[in-house]
Amino acid sequence: GTTKFGEKYGGLQITTPDSCYTLCLTTMKAGGASDFRELLANSLSDISSTCKAVGGTDVSDRLLASIKNTMSDRHIVEKKFNELLESYREEVLPQVIDGWNDLTPEQQQSVTRVNNFFCGLHFLVGLADTSAETIKRWEQDEEGASSGNSEAGTLRLIRSTCKAVQKQCSQQAGCHLMFKAYLESKGISVFPIAKFQGNRFNIIF
């Protein structure tokens, strides 16, 4: 979930061995764990309603039972949502799995368990922000750079270089082909510079 211009938005995606599907993308009243639990339930219900409208059956419980792993960030809301998801699955698994009562407690626990994976992107963004501020402070202390600069000169140089010579460079001022030809004249066949756009935080590394 995220907040833009005062509006809260929530979205869910489901990944299968073959592809990734957007389950929903909608506005939300709030962004708590219970709100995302409700969002999931409503989305599964909508899918089932569509299936039944074309002659199919209710598939919401079977879809829920098929969710075995989650991927989210490390926010406390996401961790609480994972707990609610496990409880939600526990409610429907006996209705979906044949012979549920014949399974041992250990087997039931194994089937109920959901694996939770947490994306490290926010951690990397934090490292980039800290690195950028550290470089800026170093430039001020060691190089006498102005404290009024909005960013470190090192980062400005990286961005300017990328905009000048990278393949997706500035259309007005870029010289990618000339730089590529220069590298080839020096026997360099691998272009060593990543694009800045889309890599604004990890370009530092």
Side-chain angles (χ1 to χ4, degrees), residues 10 14 20 24 46 57 61 64 83 109 121 142 150 195-196:
I14 288 184
C20 182
C24 63
D46 289 343
T57 59
D61 287 351
L64 177 63
E83 296 176 5
Q109 183 180 14
L121 179 61
E142 300 297 328
S150 60
K195 64 178 182 177
F196 185 84

Side-chain angles (χ1 to χ4, degrees), residues 18 20-21 40 58 66 70 73 81 83 88 90 96 98 100 114 116 122 135 148 151 166-167 170 172 178 185:
D18 301 319
C20 182
Y21 303 92
L40 174 61
D58 188 333
S66 69
T70 65
D73 61 27
F81 170 76
E83 296 176 5
Y88 187 15
E90 287 178 8
V96 175
D98 294 332
W100 174 263
V114 176
N116 307 133
H122 288 76
I135 294 172
E151 66 176 343
Q166 208 275 334
K167 185 175 182 180
S170 169
Q172 290 76 28
M178 293 175 61
S185 71

